[in-house]
Amino acid sequence: MSINTKQVKKNAYRITKTRGKTALRIRVPGGHLEVKHFDIIKKVADEYGNGTVHITTRQGFELPDIDFDKIPEVNKMIRPILEGLELAIGVDISDLESGYCAAGTRNVSACIGNRVCQFANFDTTDLAKRIEKEIYPNDYHVKIAVTGCPNDCIKAHIQDFGIIGLTEPQYAQERCISCGACVKNCKKRVTNALNFENYSVKRDADRCIGCGECILKCPTGALTRSREKYFRLVIMGRTGKKNPRIARAFLEWVDEETIIKVIKNCYEHYIEKYIDRTLPKEHVGYIVDRTGYDLFKKEVLRDITLDTKVKVARYIDFGGYMYDRNTMFTRGYN
């Protein structure tokens, strides 16, 4: 049969190594779903695939060994998944029986967040779903992940946009018994941002990374999380064949609304204007390499007024290494 591979891939199906067979990728924004969707995934895998499911690195599912000519039937079967995981959170999909409308922008992944984890500073799944609503469907190759605290369990530092939840510890001196648990923990495990002065805890705001561990160590509730949610936004981390690298901090102590505007500006004003359209696709990080950080910063901060608390990176040296074996290795020990 004749196959439009470009359309197949856009529809979230893979071109696989087995001739005539494809694999369906299912998005799970925020990595959290109702178990009722497992029934459909199992039914598709049993009736159209080979009875197995691969759990992807981006918290989705991949169902292998589906015949290409069964794609229309599979698309109709997954309609409830599109309704529950996309339409219900505000994503606009006009034809729910045609499967996924795009696969370029990857599933927005998230750690488990404060629904379960004591370290997490906010509900990561809720933010991931909100971002999904703003950026999906879209063909641009962008990877986004959300993590609840600087422990970074979701590996936000290898994403184009890595969003890390912070809190600004609030201190009630009248509740403090000067036990020192918060100071000792910060010194041993974090950044040594706390110390005692006249039996009172002092926080060095320049050293504090907003992890909130001091709050968990306090036995009397003298330290609590701030009502306001803050984030560190790290950008342009990636794996890949050319220049793998760790994301670098772009904004710190920024709020959720600003995060959303920055990501939308990146899609609507930066990528749209500067992507190399002679290529089949271009990863956003390589656009930044080509245009430079200053232009990226100018476009993504367009029409945004930053709070005085927000820190913006003046310059970013992304670094990483180039995959050139001729320069990376020598034979033997010399």
Side-chain angles (χ1 to χ4, degrees):
M1 65 180 292
S2 176
I3 299 169
N4 183 338
T5 55
K6 187 175 181 181
Q7 181 57 46
V8 165
K9 289 191 285 188
K10 183 179 172 67
N11 203 196
Y13 288 88
R14 278 190 182 278
I15 303 302
T16 71
K17 60 187 288 184
T18 305
R19 190 176 181 84
K21 298 287 187 179
T22 184
L24 168 65
R25 285 171 284 174
I26 292 177
R27 300 173 72 88
V28 183
H32 198 97
L33 76 169
E34 294 179 73
V35 293
K36 65 182 181 183
H37 298 302
F38 287 133
D39 295 339
I40 299 171
I41 294 169
K42 180 180 184 303
K43 189 175 178 65
V44 172
D46 280 340
E47 295 184 9
Y48 294 95
N50 62 10
T52 71
V53 172
H54 173 69
I55 300 172
T56 75
T57 56
R58 296 207 66 83
Q59 300 184 317
F61 297 95
E62 192 159 300
L63 285 58
D65 267 3
I66 296 172
D67 292 329
F68 277 107
D69 62 359
K70 301 300 183 186
I71 287 177
E73 296 175 41
V74 172
N75 282 343
K76 289 181 180 178
M77 284 186 68
I78 64 170
R79 174 176 179 145
I81 293 178
L82 294 179
E83 289 176 331
L85 297 181
E86 300 292 347
L87 198 65
I89 63 173
V91 172
D92 183 16
I93 298 179
S94 58
D95 185 355
L96 290 167
E97 294 196 351
S98 294
Y100 287 98
C101 341
T105 289
R106 300 302 195 256
N107 183 49
V108 182
S109 51
C111 74
I112 198 164
N114 70 358
R115 297 185 184 188
V116 174
C117 179
Q118 62 174 337
F119 291 101
N121 290 313
F122 73 109
D123 189 329
T124 53
T125 299
D126 269 1
L127 180 54
K129 288 179 177 178
R130 186 176 174 197
I131 294 170
E132 175 86 350
K133 175 188 172 185
E134 299 291 345
I135 52 92
Y136 188 76
N138 207 302
D139 293 326
Y140 293 143
H141 191 179
V142 180
K143 295 175 179 175
I144 302 172
V146 183
T147 196
C149 77
N151 283 336
D152 192 11
C153 293
I154 199 62
K155 308 298 181 284
H157 283 83
I158 55 171
Q159 315 292 328
D160 297 306
F161 290 103
I163 301 153
I164 301 167
L166 311 179
T167 190
E168 184 177 40
Q170 305 294 298
Y171 180 54
Q173 187 175 8
E174 69 276 11
R175 298 180 66 88
C176 181
I177 57 174
S178 301
C179 68
C182 58
V183 175
K184 292 174 186 174
N185 183 72
C186 191
K187 182 176 182 179
K188 286 188 175 181
R189 290 171 46 86
V190 194
T191 60
N192 198 18
L194 301 181
N195 63 78
F196 268 116
E197 290 181 16
N198 298 324
Y199 304 101
S200 178
V201 176
K202 301 296 181 184
R203 184 175 70 95
D204 183 339
D206 290 332
R207 297 183 69 87
C208 178
I209 60 170
C211 64
E213 283 216 16
C214 53
I215 296 161
L216 298 175
K217 294 297 179 184
C218 181
T220 63
L223 285 163
T224 54
R225 286 191 170 91
S226 54
R227 181 177 301 172
E228 297 80 9
K229 293 183 293 184
Y230 299 104
F231 302 90
R232 176 180 301 116
L233 180 61
V234 297
I235 60 169
M236 305 308 143
R238 65 189 179 211
T239 56
K241 301 183 185 73
K242 191 174 181 180
N243 177 210
R245 64 194 189 193
I246 296 295
R248 305 301 294 271
F250 173 43
L251 302 174
E252 292 187 344
W253 300 103
V254 65
D255 61 23
E256 182 172 318
E257 296 304 318
T258 303
I259 293 279
I260 298 292
K261 289 177 184 174
V262 165
I263 293 173
K264 289 187 68 176
N265 278 345
C266 183
Y267 274 82
E268 295 172 5
H269 299 295
Y270 180 71
I271 301 177
E272 176 69 20
K273 191 182 298 182
Y274 299 103
I275 193 170
D276 184 348
R277 299 188 186 281
T278 66
L279 297 171
K281 65 179 179 181
E282 188 176 30
H283 190 290
V284 61
Y286 289 105
I287 306 175
V288 178
D289 291 350
R290 200 175 62 248
T291 66
Y293 167 69
D294 286 343
L295 182 59
F296 166 83
K297 179 169 68 173
K298 174 186 173 185
E299 293 289 2
V300 301
L301 293 179
R302 173 196 291 243
D303 300 326
I304 293 175
T305 301
L306 295 174
D307 186 88
T308 55
K309 185 187 286 288
V310 178
K311 296 180 179 179
V312 185
R314 285 194 299 266
Y315 171 76
I316 295 179
D317 179 4
F318 285 105
Y321 63 90
M322 305 298 288
Y323 257 125
D324 184 344
R325 288 178 178 274
N326 292 328
T327 59
M328 287 175 59
F329 299 101
T330 59
R331 296 186 183 282
Y333 293 105
N334 297 320

